[in-house]
Amino acid sequence: MASQAPPSGKIHLKTSFKSTQTIKSIYTGGKVCISQDEQYIITTVGEDIDVIEVKTGKKLWKLKGDTEIITTFAVTPDGNTLVSASRSLLLKTWDLRTGTLTRSLKAHEAPIIVMAIDPTSTIVATGSADSTIKVWDIAGGFCTHNFKGHGGVISALLFHPDQSKWWLCSGADDCTVRVWNLKSRKAVAVFESHVSVIRGLAVSDSGNTLISGSRDKVVNVWDLTTMKLATTYPIYETLETVGILQKSKIQTIGGKDVSDKELFYTAGEGGVIRIWDLKTGDLVAKQKEEQGSKSGISDVLYNTISQQLVSITSDQNILFFDIANGMKRSKQIVGYNDEIIDVTHIGEEETHLAVAANSEQIRIFNLKEFECDLIYGHTDIVICLDKNSDGTLLASGSKDNTAKVWTLDLENEDPDERYKCIGSCIGHTEAIGAVALSRKTDGLLLTGSQDRTIKCWDLSTGDLDEPDQEHRFKSHYTIQAHDKDINAITIAPNDKIFATGSQDKVAKIWDLQQGTLVGTCKGHKRGVWSVKFSPVDQCLATSSGDKTIKIWSLNDFSCLRTFEGHTNSVLKVDFLTSGLQLVSSGSDGLVKLWTIRTNECVTTLDNHTEKIWALAVRKDENMVVTGGADSMINFWQDFTEIEYAEKKQAQAEQVLKEQELSNYLMRKDWKNAITLALSLEQPFRLLQLFNQILRDRPEHDTSITGLEAVDNVLNGLSLDQVAKLLGYVRDWNTHAKNMRAAQTVLHAVLKGRKIQEMVEIPGIKDLLDGLLPYSERHFQRVEALSIRSYVVDYTVQAMDLMTMMGDMDDMELLDGEMDEDDDRANLRAQRKAEEERMAKERHAAFEAARAATIEAPMVNGAAVIVDDGEDDDEDDESPGDADEASGSSDAEQEEQSDEDME
């Protein structure tokens, strides 16, 4: 199926999806910085620090921590260095140009709480929970100052902008503000007026005014020329940060002329940034309060180039406000997504993604840019989402027992005009767990609740041109549908029927207009989590907590197919490929692709670590989006056609290279042939090549492999090529018939390289571990064959001795014909001497063969029995046999030994 080309103009099954984009948490709380050029945002993610491009969201560096939570960090004004501190009490210096750690040292006896770097990027001040302040040289890594005087945790630090003064301002939870002179190493002033912890410090452009913000809900203005309190402004809000705006760069705010005013800003638990007149304390501007927002502000960053204030909220969101435009929100980044409950594509081109993430707000991610909008309106966690057919309407259901319908204008530049609530559906007594908008028209909305009822709402009364969020829709009918919580609702493509799934283990089919029951699908053993109509066939797909997916006929409501493969509850299911395939997600953290016709799982996608609650398929079916309890959203792109094209191209290239290899072999171009065979990963062709070279070795050749050119090729291979070749040699060496070629190549490789080069070969230890045992076995076999060759030599020599003994018998016949006794005596003496000599030679040859056999008792895996003259069966012989044996001649014993050896 995957190996065949997709027919032109026909539907082809999908076989491969890959995760091409993920939306992860980029901020989990703590410190946030923006580089002075406003190109990068640096955030705290648990024990790590992420450096991210502001425009694209691309992660530039991830600075790994030391398993302890980051307490604070600061970036030098030149943007080259970052200094961080964690609960491990270590002060670390990072090079942001390379993302590497340059220095680590222990700074204080307690965790560092705040940090500040001077305008010259040369020194950094650290304030600790041990009530001390230390100043460090960034380049040298040594401490230059150690200030003691505060009686509590240091909570704020600031270098005076005037470099000629070299002042350091500090605040602590002892409610005092101190000004330190770095030159004299003493406190210049101690300001006492606050009654709570100091949370922010700022110095005016002139350098003569210092403001301090505290959790006592006031801002104090201090005159640095007289070192006295100038005035106090009540803010009526617990403050977390204060700052002074650059007077020269701000002319107007929301149409108001502020060119002659010196302004400062405050933010705190109210979650609103306010801008005040420093001279009069009047409120000049403030950001628009979001309806239903409960989050406070932990910090505010001032972008001097774009003149923006960036608020860091307690729910880990990062909001950008344009000062000149009346503090209107221009950009928003969601730092942390909680458990992803539901997702759906919105917009006519489906360029945005609506996400319900275990919060009261609906998150709208712009998939083209690094931006996210929050839709406020619900007062409790949003559980479910649905869109209409063209993606211009969005319905949401919440734990606040209401459902809301939103009109979408995603191209509007004003974030406040992009999403408008056109009305609410109020009537359920418990949380709404499922919503569904009609497909052909925008007139109906279905809601299913934990109160076990289904309501059908008439949306025709909503005004899309002038939305009224206070408008209430009326319900057509209410159905007591199930015995337990309703988990899912889906409307058929023709808007005639709808289906519901519940924890009561059944799925039901209903008439949309009348609200009457059409049929019931029974068969699941656990609650039904998801229901979906096929886009082309008269069938319904359901997924359940019993780990199965079922397809039901809408004619007789019987189960047509059951899909098993998930190891836990199947939470979502949807159709793909015009109803020919299914895609599902489950509590096992897996996404599975199924082919309905064959009932098989085509592929399994794994990039989640927790259960996957949400699944959405784009209209063109080239993208599947999943979201889970791991706070991660994955975008799975269809790679079926791409992989098929790559496979066809690889096959064509393989054929060309194989033909090229054959041409090299024909031309005996060994260098290119060996290199190409290695690149093609064809060990058998390579083995044939070496065997052929060995067979065709010319006479008087002194090379190792049989050709000097081949030796040079092996010596010129790279380390990676040598590693691959030795892997082939290891495999060849396991078979005796390939031993000669393997040992020859190994010899050539080892002889042409030094030990230092061999050590650098990747995986050399494992390669040698595989080569040594079989090489030892081969050498033992060769040695055994050499030993066995002695038996052949002995046999040939014995045959020669027998021939000589026959000649001696002929000489005895001649003795009877000799007349002279002296000649006969001489002949007998000569024969006796010859017999003794031959007996000694036979005995010596026999002893040599026996000694060699004892040293190597194993030959080809079989034991060689050596007769040492002591038979194990001697006790069984009779005395007569022993006498007979003792009476035999020495010649007969030697003949018997010869036979045994044979």
Side-chain angles (χ1 to χ4, degrees):
M1 181 169 55
S3 61
Q4 297 179 356
S8 177
K10 295 184 179 180
I11 298 173
H12 60 277
L13 300 180
K14 303 179 186 300
T15 59
S16 176
F17 282 85
K18 293 182 180 179
S19 178
T20 57
Q21 181 183 354
T22 58
I23 298 177
K24 300 180 181 179
S25 299
I26 63 168
Y27 173 57
T28 58
K31 184 70 175 178
V32 176
C33 283
I34 296 179
S35 59
Q36 197 158 1
D37 58 5
E38 301 180 9
Q39 298 297 314
Y40 305 103
I41 182 169
I42 300 98
T43 61
T44 305
V45 185
E47 62 192 37
D48 304 324
I49 298 174
D50 285 353
V51 182
I52 303 168
E53 291 184 359
V54 174
K55 290 184 178 180
T56 64
K58 180 182 177 182
K59 186 180 293 185
L60 184 64
W61 307 113
K62 188 176 189 67
L63 310 180
K64 285 288 186 180
D66 51 10
T67 70
E68 294 289 344
I69 295 177
I70 300 293
T71 56
T72 187
F73 64 84
V75 180
T76 57
D78 59 15
N80 295 331
T81 306
L82 181 144
V83 184
S84 67
S86 69
R87 290 183 180 177
S88 64
L89 309 183
L90 293 178
L91 186 68
K92 295 184 177 182
T93 305
W94 306 82
D95 188 344
L96 290 181
R97 292 167 293 187
T98 60
T100 57
L101 178 66
T102 57
R103 182 177 291 106
S104 178
L105 55 90
K106 184 177 179 181
H108 290 266
E109 297 301 323
I112 297 173
I113 306 301
V114 290
M115 192 181 297
I117 296 178
D118 78 311
T120 63
S121 302
T122 55
I123 56 177
V124 56
T126 57
S128 170
D130 61 5
S131 305
T132 64
I133 302 169
K134 292 185 179 182
V135 181
W136 307 82
D137 184 278
I138 296 177
F142 54 86
C143 181
T144 60
H145 300 76
N146 186 6
F147 296 120
K148 297 180 181 180
H150 281 290
V153 176
I154 309 300
S155 56
L157 285 175
L158 176 70
F159 278 99
H160 196 285
D162 188 353
Q163 300 180 17
S164 62
K165 291 187 177 181
W166 286 99
W167 284 358
L168 174 64
C169 305
S170 65
D173 63 1
D174 61 359
C175 309
T176 64
V177 177
R178 292 174 182 264
V179 180
W180 309 88
N181 190 323
L182 298 182
K183 294 181 179 179
S184 64
R185 301 176 181 269
K186 294 181 180 180
V188 177
V190 178
F191 301 136
E192 297 179 351
S193 178
H194 289 287
V195 294
S196 186
V197 57
I198 311 299
R199 293 299 300 154
L201 299 170
V203 176
S204 62
D205 293 342
S206 62
N208 297 326
T209 303
L210 170 70
I211 66 171
S212 61
S214 170
R215 287 180 178 171
D216 57 7
K217 303 182 181 181
V218 299
V219 171
N220 285 331
V221 181
W222 309 90
D223 189 343
L224 294 180
T225 58
T226 62
M227 297 299 177
K228 293 182 179 181
L229 177 65
T231 185
T232 298
Y233 296 130
I235 306 298
Y236 306 107
E237 177 187 15
T238 300
L239 297 180
E240 295 295 330
T241 183
V242 296
I244 295 179
L245 303 179
Q246 291 182 347
K247 182 178 179 180
S248 59
K249 292 187 177 181
I250 299 177
Q251 302 298 321
T252 61
I253 297 180
K256 296 181 181 179
D257 184 12
V258 293
S259 58
D260 58 340
K261 296 180 179 180
E262 195 166 11
L263 307 174
F264 72 95
Y265 61 86
T266 63
E269 66 175 0
V272 177
I273 301 176
R274 294 179 172 86
I275 299 178
W276 311 81
D277 189 335
L278 184 60
K279 290 184 178 180
T280 64
D282 296 333
L283 180 64
V284 177
K286 70 174 183 177
Q287 73 172 82
K288 181 181 177 181
E289 297 185 31
E290 300 289 353
Q291 180 182 1
S293 176
K294 300 177 183 178
S295 61
I297 295 177
S298 59
D299 196 7
V300 174
L301 308 177
Y302 180 28
N303 288 342
T304 57
I305 298 177
S306 60
Q307 289 300 309
Q308 291 178 330
L309 290 177
V310 183
S311 69
I312 315 301
T313 65
S314 58
D315 56 357
Q316 292 85 41
N317 294 323
I318 304 171
L319 293 81
F320 293 72
F321 295 94
D322 190 353
I323 299 175
N325 199 21
M327 290 300 292
K328 281 194 173 183
R329 177 164 50 87
S330 59
K331 185 182 180 67
Q332 180 165 318
I333 299 173
V334 174
Y336 176 72
N337 289 314
D338 204 343
E339 190 169 350
I340 307 299
I341 301 174
D342 201 3
V343 297
T344 185
H345 289 95
I346 57 174
E348 296 181 1
E349 302 297 329
E350 297 188 330
T351 56
H352 292 66
L353 186 72
V355 178
N358 204 29
S359 66
E360 301 89 353
Q361 303 88 29
I362 303 171
R363 302 171 185 226
I364 308 297
F365 286 92
N366 187 337
L367 303 182
K368 294 182 178 180
E369 300 177 6
F370 183 50
E371 188 175 354
C372 177
D373 292 328
L374 295 182
I375 301 179
Y376 294 89
H378 285 286
T379 58
D380 208 337
I381 295 174
V382 178
I383 300 177
C384 50
L385 301 170
D386 193 26
K387 63 171 183 177
N388 64 344
S389 56
D390 59 2
T392 57
L393 283 182
L394 177 68
S396 60
S398 169
K399 280 188 176 182
D400 60 9
N401 305 343
T402 66
K404 292 182 181 292
V405 182
W406 312 82
T407 180
L408 307 177
D409 184 11
L410 301 176
E411 301 302 324
N412 198 313
E413 295 183 357
D414 187 355
D416 296 331
E417 300 297 325
R418 294 174 187 168
Y419 319 99
K420 292 292 185 179
C421 179
I422 64 174
S424 303
C425 303
I426 302 175
H428 285 287
T429 59
E430 292 190 40
I432 296 177
V435 294
L437 286 166
S438 54
R439 299 304 174 206
K440 286 190 173 182
T441 63
D442 298 333
L444 296 177
L445 171 67
L446 294 175
T447 58
S449 170
Q450 292 180 5
D451 60 12
R452 307 170 189 176
T453 64
I454 298 172
K455 289 181 179 290
C456 180
W457 306 86
D458 182 10
L459 303 183
S460 60
T461 59
D463 190 348
L464 299 179
D465 297 327
E466 296 181 2
D468 180 12
Q469 62 181 359
E470 301 298 330
H471 178 71
R472 291 190 178 185
F473 296 112
K474 296 181 179 180
S475 64
H476 278 309
Y477 54 78
T478 301
I479 308 170
Q480 185 69 29
H482 289 272
D483 297 331
K484 292 186 178 181
D485 298 351
I486 298 173
N487 294 327
I489 296 179
T490 183
I491 299 177
N494 58 8
D495 278 353
K496 291 184 177 180
I497 58 175
F498 68 92
T500 59
S502 169
Q503 287 296 107
D504 60 7
K505 308 176 186 178
V506 298
K508 294 184 178 181
I509 314 298
W510 309 82
D511 182 272
L512 181 60
Q513 298 300 326
Q514 303 298 326
T516 56
L517 181 63
V518 177
T520 302
C521 302
K522 295 182 179 180
H524 284 294
K525 299 177 181 179
R526 295 287 186 274
V528 177
W529 282 105
S530 179
V531 290
K532 215 70 174 177
F533 283 103
S534 171
V536 292
D537 295 326
Q538 296 293 318
C539 62
L540 175 75
T542 61
S543 64
S544 169
D546 60 7
K547 311 175 189 178
T548 65
I549 303 167
K550 291 182 182 291
I551 294 182
W552 309 84
S553 171
L554 295 181
N555 296 322
D556 56 5
F557 309 108
S558 61
C559 180
L560 302 177
R561 292 187 184 275
T562 300
F563 300 86
E564 297 180 356
H566 283 281
T567 59
N568 212 325
S569 300
V570 186
L571 301 176
K572 284 287 184 177
V573 67
D574 205 345
F575 282 90
L576 277 178
T577 325
S578 299
L580 298 177
Q581 292 181 293
L582 291 172
V583 60
S584 63
S585 64
S587 295
D588 52 8
L590 301 177
V591 180
K592 289 183 178 288
L593 179 65
W594 310 84
T595 299
I596 296 176
R597 181 175 60 85
T598 60
N599 251 62
E600 67 174 351
C601 178
V602 178
T603 185
T604 299
L605 312 177
D606 184 8
N607 200 30
H608 285 278
T609 58
E610 299 287 344
K611 60 180 64 176
I612 303 173
W613 286 109
L615 183 146
V617 179
R618 208 166 64 184
K619 284 182 181 178
D620 58 10
E621 298 185 346
N622 288 327
M623 183 75 73
V624 176
V625 180
T626 58
D630 54 3
S631 306
M632 181 186 297
I633 301 174
N634 273 298
F635 295 81
W636 307 93
Q637 185 175 348
D638 181 15
F639 271 76
T640 302
E641 294 186 7
I642 297 175
E643 287 190 355
Y644 175 77
E646 291 176 351
K647 184 177 180 181
K648 292 294 291 182
Q649 183 178 359
Q651 289 176 348
E653 293 177 355
Q654 183 80 4
V655 171
L656 292 176
K657 288 184 178 180
E658 288 181 356
Q659 182 60 47
E660 192 175 358
L661 177 60
S662 300
N663 295 338
Y664 287 147
L665 293 175
M666 290 290 294
R667 295 197 300 264
K668 295 186 177 181
D669 186 353
W670 308 121
K671 178 180 180 180
N672 290 325
I674 293 173
T675 306
L676 188 56
L678 284 172
S679 65
L680 291 176
E681 296 184 352
Q682 294 189 352
F684 182 71
R685 297 286 294 272
L686 205 57
L687 177 62
Q688 288 180 323
L689 185 150
F690 286 121
N691 283 331
Q692 180 181 350
I693 295 173
L694 289 172
R695 286 194 300 269
D696 299 341
R697 179 192 287 270
E699 294 184 8
H700 309 297
D701 180 73
T702 59
S703 64
I704 299 174
T705 59
L707 284 176
E708 190 70 28
V710 176
D711 291 357
N712 296 333
V713 171
L714 296 180
N715 292 332
L717 296 177
S718 65
L719 293 181
D720 291 335
Q721 290 176 324
V722 171
K724 184 181 292 186
L725 180 60
L726 289 180
Y728 297 156
V729 169
R730 177 189 57 192
D731 297 337
W732 300 339
N733 199 44
T734 59
H735 203 288
K737 72 176 183 179
N738 300 328
M739 178 267 294
R740 183 187 178 196
Q743 293 295 327
T744 301
V745 174
L746 181 61
H747 181 197
V749 170
L750 294 177
K751 188 173 182 180
R753 283 173 171 78
K754 297 180 181 180
I755 296 179
Q756 291 79 1
E757 296 181 40
M758 297 299 296
V759 171
E760 296 177 0
I761 295 176
I764 185 63
K765 183 180 183 300
D766 295 334
L767 293 172
L768 293 179
D769 289 342
L771 281 166
L772 286 175
Y774 285 98
S775 297
E776 292 176 357
R777 184 179 300 179
H778 294 322
F779 281 115
Q780 289 176 0
R781 184 171 60 86
V782 172
E783 188 177 0
L785 289 174
S786 176
I787 292 171
R788 292 180 63 182
S789 66
Y790 292 135
V791 178
V792 178
D793 295 340
Y794 170 74
T795 303
V796 173
Q797 188 177 13
M799 293 173 64
D800 293 340
L801 292 175
M802 292 175 65
T803 302
M804 293 177 64
M805 289 176 64
D807 294 340
M808 295 303 298
D809 292 337
D810 293 340
M811 292 175 66
E812 289 180 357
L813 294 175
L814 293 175
D815 288 343
E817 297 176 359
M818 294 179 65
D819 297 330
E820 297 180 3
D821 294 339
D822 294 340
D823 294 338
R824 185 181 294 110
N826 293 334
L827 184 60
R828 288 179 177 175
Q830 185 180 356
R831 184 179 66 180
K832 186 175 181 179
E834 186 67 21
E835 289 178 353
E836 291 177 355
R837 184 184 64 80
M838 293 174 63
K840 290 180 179 180
E841 290 180 354
R842 288 198 304 272
H843 184 70
F846 171 74
E847 290 295 334
R850 185 177 67 174
T853 307
I854 291 173
E855 291 178 359
M858 298 294 292
V859 177
N860 274 344
V864 177
I865 301 176
V866 181
D867 187 1
D868 57 359
E870 296 181 359
D871 196 344
D872 294 335
D873 297 331
E874 284 180 354
D875 295 337
D876 298 333
E877 294 179 353
S878 62
D881 295 335
D883 294 339
E884 185 178 353
S886 61
S888 61
S889 63
D890 294 338
E892 289 175 351
Q893 291 181 6
E894 291 176 358
E895 290 175 0
Q896 183 65 31
S897 298
D898 294 344
E899 291 176 359
D900 292 342
M901 287 302 296
E902 292 174 359

